Amino acid sequence: MDQKRIKKKQEQDTSIKNKLTNLFELPKDVVLNLPLITIVGNKEIQIENYKGIVEYSEEMIKVKTTVGVIKVNGKKLFVKLITSENIQITGFIKSFEYMT
Amino acid sequence: MFLVIWKAIKGYAFIEITGFSVERFINLAINKGVYIWNIQHKRNSVIMNVSLPALELLDTCAAKTRCEIKIINEYGLPTLFRRYCKRKILLFGVILFCGIIYLLSSFIWEIEVNGNEKLVTSEILEFLKNEDTGIGSFTFRLKGKDIEASLLNRFKNISWVSTEIKGTKLIINMVETVDKPEEKDTTIPCNIIAAEDGVIYSIVVSAGHPLVKKKDVVLKDDLLVNGELVVKEDEESTLYKYVHAEGKIIAKTMDQFEIYESKAIIKKIYTHEHKKEYRLSVMGHTLPYLRVKPKFEKYDQLIYNKKLEIGKDIILPFELIMIQYNEYSTKTINRSEEEVKKILQYRVKRKIEEDYIKKDKEVIHQDITYMKENQGIKAKVDLVVLKSIGESQNINVEERRNDLIESTDGENNKPAN
């Protein structure tokens, strides 16, 4: 019961936040802690505000974010840079998918 | 660009990680704030670059996630330093090199003197050398104020001097005083006499009694203006006053000079054959370096000097000298009379400009006659020049008075005898 209540409260919170950000047109990536994803052609993808790497191989990389896991498919994928806020993947990107 | 330099300074390692949960390892490492880049997947392992100071942190991460770390290679300054520190002689050499450079750059190797127009630079350098502040003296011992003071003491016509030590160069800036106009002692009585033969063109006298007038012909040593003035004259005695005769006397004078120019001239024709020789000079002493004795019969030497320096201000006592020998052959060319005359005219013009016009003399007439002589032509130039011919001559007042007394005595004595 408790957990359910907390979850409900959290949902309410986020919805209020959501409404406020919509009202004042604030940047969502900052206020709601959503990932900001930049894709350059099919060669580079940069994800800011990520939580961690779930799976890593040459063909596929799964990155955990606040909106779920993001899956990047491609060939010769290569993490060029990784810090606590930012991950930069280069290579030949085939697809990009939200796994919720 | 800056990132690359930063990485190189901090140092980084190229590591290989094997294990079951490499992803966890990476997450953990990043949470601890380790900077990781260039992650590559290779069959069963992951290769990545990490900064060197983070390697210890990675060990704990690896222990937690049961991964194994293998360092493939290390790059950067700390690694390089560690590697070369083991080579004692190399280290010694590097330190010695730095020491020698430091030692050599703490001497004065060049002195630059600016602003001297009448003083000769070599004289100043010689003086500095005698004062132990010349080339080769220690920079730390030099005191700008002492040098300035000694220079001011020694050379009276310096009005302001400043010194500056820039690297191994001593720069002396100075301003010279304007020469005092020559003061004429107007208390000494004198006459004005003619320095040359001529015809008086104009005469302006400010003190004394003029004895000649315009269009008079005067000879050398003729008295032009008398400094002995008769103040009072009566039957018994004459009273004289002696003054410093002053005036400007300009006369027409004749001048003459000759210039010879031969028809044949020797011309150099370069054969475009050249040889180079390199020498190294250390503190003014030349060491033969690569001797190439030219087998040319006639040659010109071109010497290029290159001072070795660090930056702009630190000059080392080494000098690279390159000598180039250019071979030439000579050929005598006979010029035509017209050409030689043209050259003569030009030379005459130059000579007049230098000898007359620059010395405040005016040439009012010139006459050039050409004469053939030997293998060339001689130009004989007759000039009529307007110039000042006055020359002061001191009067010995005592002697003059005695003379006068004697002569008057003589006159007085005559009838008595």
Side-chain angles (χ1 to χ4, degrees):
Chain A
M1 275 299 279
D2 271 0
Q3 274 191 350
K4 264 189 180 177
R5 231 180 248 171
I6 291 164
K7 218 176 182 181
K8 217 178 174 183
K9 211 183 173 186
Q10 269 185 353
E11 269 175 14
Q12 270 181 348
D13 273 3
T14 51
S15 64
I16 290 166
K17 255 189 181 174
N18 216 340
K19 275 175 191 167
L20 277 174
T21 45
N22 274 333
L23 190 68
F24 293 113
E25 291 182 351
L26 295 167
K28 288 188 186 72
D29 58 315
V30 179
V31 182
L32 302 177
N33 209 18
L34 294 177
L36 178 69
I37 301 159
T38 318
I39 304 177
V40 183
N42 61 353
K43 288 193 172 62
E44 194 183 298
I45 178 163
Q46 190 174 332
I47 305 166
E48 284 167 51
N49 269 336
Y50 81 104
K51 291 231 164 129
I53 296 176
V54 179
E55 209 180 316
Y56 180 68
S57 72
E58 268 199 308
E59 280 81 35
M60 184 201 36
I61 295 175
K62 281 182 184 170
V63 179
K64 196 178 159 194
T65 65
T66 47
V67 292
V69 176
I70 291 169
K71 189 168 120 186
V72 180
N73 279 316
K75 267 183 182 175
K76 290 181 182 174
L77 293 179
F78 168 70
V79 178
K80 202 179 174 194
L81 190 83
I82 182 163
T83 63
S84 54
E85 278 143 21
N86 187 0
I87 177 164
Q88 199 177 331
I89 301 162
T90 56
F92 188 74
I93 296 158
K94 274 185 183 164
S95 70
F96 170 80
E97 201 181 326
Y98 288 103
M99 298 170 71
T100 43
Chain B
M1 185 64 205
F2 286 109
L3 203 65
V4 171
I5 295 167
W6 185 79
K7 280 173 188 169
I9 290 169
K10 278 268 179 180
Y12 61 94
F14 198 42
I15 59 170
E16 187 180 9
I17 293 157
T18 46
F20 181 66
S21 51
V22 180
E23 291 88 357
R24 259 192 80 203
F25 172 83
I26 295 171
N27 286 335
L28 203 63
I30 281 155
N31 276 337
K32 287 195 175 185
V34 179
Y35 187 71
I36 300 173
W37 70 98
N38 284 5
I39 306 173
Q40 264 173 307
H41 208 270
K42 259 196 180 180
R43 281 184 204 166
N44 300 322
S45 63
V46 172
I47 300 169
M48 62 179 83
N49 285 3
V50 289
S51 56
L52 218 51
L55 270 180
E56 281 177 28
L57 281 173
L58 287 186
D59 279 336
T60 56
C61 293
K64 265 188 188 173
T65 55
R66 288 178 197 163
C67 288
E68 268 180 37
I69 300 178
K70 195 178 147 198
I71 297 168
I72 301 171
N73 215 336
E74 281 181 22
Y75 305 95
L77 218 59
T79 323
L80 218 68
F81 202 66
R82 211 183 307 139
R83 200 178 296 160
Y84 286 113
C85 265
K86 285 174 192 161
R87 296 174 60 178
K88 293 255 164 65
I89 291 178
L90 181 78
L91 196 73
F92 178 71
V94 168
I95 292 168
L96 195 73
F97 173 77
C98 293
I100 288 173
I101 292 287
Y102 179 73
L103 195 75
L104 287 179
S105 62
S106 58
F107 289 100
I108 294 290
W109 293 123
E110 196 174 309
I111 298 178
E112 191 183 303
V113 183
N114 297 324
N116 55 326
E117 282 166 10
K118 284 160 210 150
L119 278 173
V120 189
T121 307
S122 60
E123 199 183 341
I124 295 164
L125 295 186
E126 185 73 18
F127 169 70
L128 288 175
K129 203 177 175 186
N130 293 338
E131 290 275 300
D132 283 336
T133 48
I135 286 173
S137 54
F138 216 44
T139 321
F140 305 112
R141 273 214 334 242
L142 284 188
K143 274 179 193 159
K145 280 193 175 170
D146 292 353
I147 299 174
E148 283 163 24
S150 62
L151 276 172
L152 283 174
N153 264 332
R154 167 68 181 76
F155 300 101
K156 293 294 173 207
N157 47 351
I158 297 175
S159 65
W160 170 86
V161 64
S162 86
T163 55
E164 188 184 354
I165 295 169
K166 245 187 174 184
T168 60
K169 200 179 194 180
L170 174 68
I171 301 169
I172 298 172
N173 294 310
M174 61 169 74
V175 175
E176 285 178 354
T177 48
V178 181
D179 267 350
K180 278 183 196 167
E182 222 175 282
E183 261 180 50
K184 280 180 190 165
D185 192 354
T186 49
T187 56
I188 297 170
C190 69
N191 295 327
I192 294 177
I193 58 163
E196 265 180 75
D197 300 351
V199 180
I200 301 294
Y201 180 78
S202 79
I203 175 162
V204 180
V205 177
S206 55
H209 175 59
L211 298 174
V212 288
K213 52 184 193 299
K214 205 173 164 183
K215 289 184 182 171
D216 276 0
V217 177
V218 290
L219 296 175
K220 201 185 169 196
D221 292 336
D222 273 2
L223 196 60
L224 301 176
V225 181
N226 200 350
E228 188 184 66
L229 298 177
V230 178
V231 181
K232 193 178 154 194
E233 194 173 16
D234 50 32
E235 285 169 4
E236 281 173 8
S237 65
T238 346
L239 195 65
Y240 292 102
K241 192 189 169 192
Y242 295 93
V243 294
H244 181 90
E246 243 178 296
K248 195 166 188 186
I249 298 119
I250 292 169
K252 268 186 205 174
T253 55
M254 301 283 283
D255 259 358
Q256 185 176 70
F257 62 87
E258 284 171 0
I259 296 177
Y260 175 78
E261 180 86 29
S262 111
K263 267 185 189 174
I265 53 158
I266 296 164
K267 205 174 178 183
K268 283 181 188 174
I269 297 166
Y270 289 98
T271 56
H272 299 295
E273 288 274 325
H274 60 260
K275 263 185 182 157
K276 284 175 183 173
E277 183 185 334
Y278 296 93
R279 284 182 195 173
L280 188 71
S281 154
V282 182
M283 295 175 74
H285 302 286
T286 316
L287 312 169
Y289 195 75
L290 269 172
R291 265 263 148 92
V292 188
K293 273 227 162 171
K295 286 170 187 167
F296 306 144
E297 206 176 308
K298 290 168 182 170
Y299 57 84
D300 277 350
Q301 268 189 22
L302 280 174
I303 302 175
Y304 300 96
N305 287 25
K306 172 86 186 116
K307 281 197 169 168
L308 297 182
E309 51 195 18
I310 303 171
K312 217 177 177 186
D313 298 324
I314 301 176
I315 298 152
L316 298 178
F318 302 110
E319 205 173 356
L320 202 66
I321 300 168
M322 202 265 277
I323 305 172
Q324 189 175 332
Y325 299 96
N326 290 336
E327 193 194 18
Y328 66 82
S329 58
T330 51
K331 196 180 171 188
T332 48
I333 295 173
N334 264 323
R335 290 177 294 188
S336 68
E337 252 174 59
E338 287 293 307
E339 271 180 288
V340 177
K341 274 183 187 171
K342 253 185 194 173
I343 289 163
L344 278 171
Q345 272 171 12
Y346 175 74
R347 281 181 63 187
V348 166
K349 203 178 157 192
R350 282 285 302 276
K351 196 169 163 67
I352 287 173
E353 241 166 53
E354 227 155 76
D355 287 2
Y356 295 93
I357 292 167
K358 276 187 187 170
K359 288 177 186 168
D360 274 347
K361 294 172 186 173
E362 200 184 332
V363 177
I364 51 172
H365 182 75
Q366 77 180 57
D367 202 4
I368 309 175
T369 45
Y370 298 101
M371 281 174 288
K372 278 185 190 173
E373 202 179 273
N374 296 336
Q375 293 295 313
I377 295 174
K378 193 161 85 174
K380 199 173 159 193
V381 187
D382 291 301
L383 298 171
V384 179
V385 185
L386 286 185
K387 63 179 167 192
S388 161
I389 58 162
E391 196 181 57
S392 52
Q393 187 192 41
N394 288 354
I395 306 172
N396 196 333
V397 179
E398 295 278 309
E399 223 170 76
R400 190 82 189 127
R401 273 189 184 137
N402 287 338
D403 282 358
L404 285 169
I405 289 163
E406 266 174 30
S407 62
T408 47
D409 279 357
E411 273 169 21
N412 287 345
N413 287 341
K414 254 183 188 174
N417 284 338

